Amino acid sequence: MTHSLYYKFILGYLVFGLLGFFVIGTTASEMTYEQLIQEESETLYDEANLLATSYSEVYKGRNLNIDSAYPQLEAVATYLKAEIWVVNNRGTVVVDSNHPVKVGQTVAGFDPTLNGNRHYTIGTYNDCFSEDVMTVSAPITGNYTTYGYVLIHLPMRQVHAAKDRFLNILYIISGIIFALSLIILLVFTKTVYFPLKKITEAANQYAAGNLTYKTTIHTQDEMGYLAATLNYMSDELDKMEGYQRTFIANISHDFRSPLTSIKGYLEAILDGTIPPELYEKYLTLVISETERLNKLTQGLLTLNSLDSKGYLSRTNFDINRVIKDTAASFEGTCDTKNIMLDLTFSENITMVHADLGKIQQVLYNLIDNAIKFSHQDSIIYIQTTLKYEKVFVSVKDTGIGIPKDSLKKIWERFYKTDLSRGKDKKGTGLGLAIVKEIIQNHGETIDVISTEGVGTEFIFTLPRA
């Protein structure tokens, strides 16, 4: 189960969560840091320019006391949590917000032009600080001359602290979202994983031969549909298994009866039970039984060919002519029982589009059945009628009829009613099964109407050419 779908889903979920936090910890951290640097540098630069403007008044002769701007500088430094210097052109600190810590000191290598296009630098500012600071500068000008600079130094720990505060909030929100996303895992477990386990168990039961096992999933989604499909499949397989048992029992019975007769006749001839003068009679019976076996085998081969697709060879032909020709082949049998075939056609020529050979077989089997189960001196009615784009063919006898409880079973292979087994001992029970297969493979329908003791009528349709 270590490679099951559920564990793969959990693994994917955890990987997604870890990757999410990794992305937040790298990409978001970097983006936040860059954004804070940009915002802080712009803020510091604006403040530096404001202070530089204040100090420029000194050099314009309006205010000769440089210390008068000190309170403003100290207030701004406290607000920004930074250190502010005022330096002259040589880099000597004139005013310091931490007065007078660095007043009089000269910045080694002071050159404000080294910043280039950027208005800030990050570092220890020429080793003036023991930690990294962000430094911005603004020139102090007066009378068209630059007299010095306002320098604001913001410790980078302030930027990092702001970044950490933002990221902590982001981490907390991400953790909450990740925890809430567990709902997805719970929904997956309930709606997919548990139903899949039940379906897998059902499949294992079916593979083990337990076709009566039922999957208890009653949802209206795809899982419920799959479970219902599996239950239906198991029912059909169970029916098919029952049909196969019945099929084997029937075919064994129908093969065993003639083989037993053949074996008994031949043994009787060999051991002298049957005298030589009766050999011809019993050998004729043996040939009759072999013909019955041959007919049964041919029926099975026909059904096997009908089970394969693409066997039909459709053409246009006159169904009336086919009925006449097929009926003519039963002339001798009808004369023996004094049965008359009454043919009625709605038109002289009725063209249909079907497989001529297969439809001949349908007509032969239906007429043969009608003759077998008709009384002496009776009439069999065969007619064709047209309705819209269909041709209806009817074969109706006035014979013994079919019991009501047997009507749905007559299409099963090897099925014989008790009446037919008593009246027609040479039948194979495959005739009507072949008829239905042929008609269904044409995409058409066949129905039966029968009353016991009155007669039976078979009606099938064909497409009009």
Side-chain angles (χ1 to χ4, degrees):
M1 290 297 291
T2 55
H3 300 289
S4 69
L5 179 64
Y6 187 64
Y7 287 103
K8 289 179 180 178
F9 184 83
I10 293 178
L11 180 62
Y13 178 79
L14 294 176
V15 169
F16 169 77
L18 293 175
L19 286 177
F21 281 104
F22 176 77
V23 170
I24 292 173
T26 54
T27 306
S29 176
E30 186 66 25
M31 293 175 65
T32 302
Y33 179 73
E34 293 295 334
Q35 183 65 26
L36 288 173
I37 290 290
Q38 184 68 24
E39 291 178 357
E40 291 290 348
S41 65
E42 290 177 355
T43 300
L44 294 179
Y45 186 70
D46 291 340
E47 292 294 337
N49 277 320
L50 288 173
L51 291 173
T53 301
S54 298
Y55 278 95
S56 67
E57 301 297 326
V58 175
Y59 297 99
K60 291 178 182 179
R62 298 177 184 176
N63 187 350
L64 298 177
N65 185 6
I66 195 169
D67 291 334
S68 63
Y70 184 78
Q72 178 189 8
L73 181 144
E74 191 176 35
V76 172
T78 303
Y79 171 74
L80 295 177
K81 297 180 181 179
E83 184 173 343
I84 303 175
W85 296 351
V86 177
V87 299
N88 58 23
N89 287 334
R90 295 184 301 276
T92 301
V93 179
V94 178
V95 178
D96 182 2
S97 62
N98 292 335
H99 179 78
V101 177
K102 292 185 174 63
V103 174
Q105 294 184 10
T106 300
V107 178
F110 176 74
D111 186 359
T113 61
L114 294 177
N115 291 348
N117 294 329
R118 292 195 309 169
H119 51 263
Y120 71 91
T121 60
I122 295 177
T124 58
Y125 198 70
N126 297 320
D127 297 326
C128 292
F129 296 92
S130 60
E131 61 178 334
D132 286 344
V133 295
M134 178 192 297
T135 301
V136 299
S137 64
I140 300 173
T141 59
N143 301 320
Y144 304 103
T145 303
T146 300
Y147 295 100
Y149 297 88
V150 174
L151 303 179
I152 301 179
H153 308 286
L154 177 70
M156 287 303 295
R157 65 174 182 273
Q158 301 289 343
V159 177
H160 290 296
K163 182 192 72 172
D164 291 341
R165 286 193 298 272
F166 177 80
L167 289 179
N168 287 338
I169 295 173
L170 190 61
Y171 286 142
I172 292 173
I173 294 175
S174 300
I176 293 173
I177 293 175
F178 184 74
L180 290 176
S181 66
L182 287 171
I183 297 174
I184 299 175
L185 185 61
L186 295 176
V187 171
F188 174 83
T189 302
K190 181 175 178 59
T191 62
V192 178
Y193 178 64
F194 286 156
L196 273 180
K197 285 191 68 175
K198 292 182 179 180
I199 291 173
T200 302
E201 176 61 23
N204 290 332
Q205 291 289 335
Y206 301 151
N210 183 14
L211 297 177
T212 59
Y213 185 86
K214 297 299 178 186
T215 308
T216 56
I217 301 175
H218 305 292
T219 57
Q220 301 300 316
D221 53 13
E222 288 81 357
M223 288 298 174
Y225 177 76
L226 179 59
T229 303
L230 282 176
N231 288 335
Y232 175 76
M233 181 193 72
S234 65
D235 289 338
E236 293 300 310
L237 288 175
D238 194 34
K239 292 178 183 178
M240 183 62 67
E241 187 173 328
Y243 166 76
Q244 289 178 344
R245 288 193 294 266
T246 303
F247 179 86
I248 293 173
N250 287 336
I251 195 172
S252 299
H253 175 271
D254 285 322
F255 269 97
R256 184 173 62 248
S257 296
L259 285 174
T260 301
S261 298
I262 292 172
K263 181 174 181 293
Y265 292 146
L266 293 178
E267 286 178 346
I269 290 174
L270 288 176
D271 63 17
T273 303
I274 298 176
E277 60 271 16
L278 297 179
Y279 281 179
E280 182 177 356
K281 173 185 175 182
Y282 286 98
L283 288 175
T284 301
L285 292 175
V286 168
I287 292 174
S288 176
E289 292 298 322
T290 57
E291 287 177 351
R292 180 181 172 190
L293 285 174
N294 182 64
K295 185 177 179 182
L296 184 61
T297 304
Q298 289 299 322
L300 289 172
L301 292 174
T302 299
L303 281 173
N304 184 62
S305 68
L306 293 177
D307 288 337
S308 61
K309 297 181 179 179
Y311 76 97
L312 293 178
S313 178
R314 297 175 186 261
T315 57
N316 294 336
F317 59 89
D318 180 12
I319 187 64
N320 295 345
R321 171 51 57 189
V322 175
I323 292 173
K324 291 177 183 178
D325 294 341
T326 306
S329 66
F330 289 96
E331 183 177 351
T333 307
C334 289
D335 289 343
T336 302
K337 298 182 66 173
N338 197 26
I339 293 175
M340 183 176 72
L341 300 180
D342 185 327
L343 310 183
T344 305
F345 307 131
S346 59
E347 295 182 355
N348 292 331
I349 297 176
T350 305
M351 299 299 293
V352 297
H353 183 68
D355 188 314
L356 174 58
K358 295 299 187 293
I359 298 305
Q360 280 181 323
Q361 189 168 11
V362 169
L363 289 168
Y364 184 91
N365 288 354
L366 292 179
I367 296 173
D368 184 49
N369 267 6
I371 293 173
K372 287 177 183 177
F373 302 112
S374 290
H375 304 293
Q376 295 279 346
D377 304 319
S378 60
I379 302 175
I380 295 174
Y381 301 91
I382 306 172
Q383 63 179 7
T384 60
T385 55
L386 299 176
K387 189 173 182 180
Y388 303 111
E389 296 302 316
K390 296 291 184 182
V391 177
F392 290 78
V393 182
S394 168
V395 178
K396 180 179 180 181
D397 64 61
T398 55
I400 61 176
I402 302 172
K404 186 176 181 180
D405 58 353
S406 298
L407 279 175
K408 293 183 179 179
K409 301 178 182 179
I410 60 173
W411 309 109
E412 296 177 6
R413 301 177 183 186
F414 295 104
Y415 179 78
K416 297 180 183 181
T417 65
D418 293 335
L419 291 174
S420 69
R421 288 189 180 275
K423 192 172 183 68
D424 178 30
K425 297 183 180 298
K426 295 184 178 180
T428 63
L430 295 175
L432 291 179
I434 292 173
V435 165
K436 188 168 186 179
E437 288 284 345
I438 291 175
I439 297 301
Q440 285 185 338
N441 285 333
H442 275 81
E444 301 299 324
T445 59
I446 182 168
D447 296 308
V448 58
I449 303 170
S450 183
T451 302
E452 193 172 356
V454 177
T456 303
E457 179 181 14
F458 288 92
I459 306 170
F460 65 91
T461 61
L462 290 174
R464 192 174 181 181

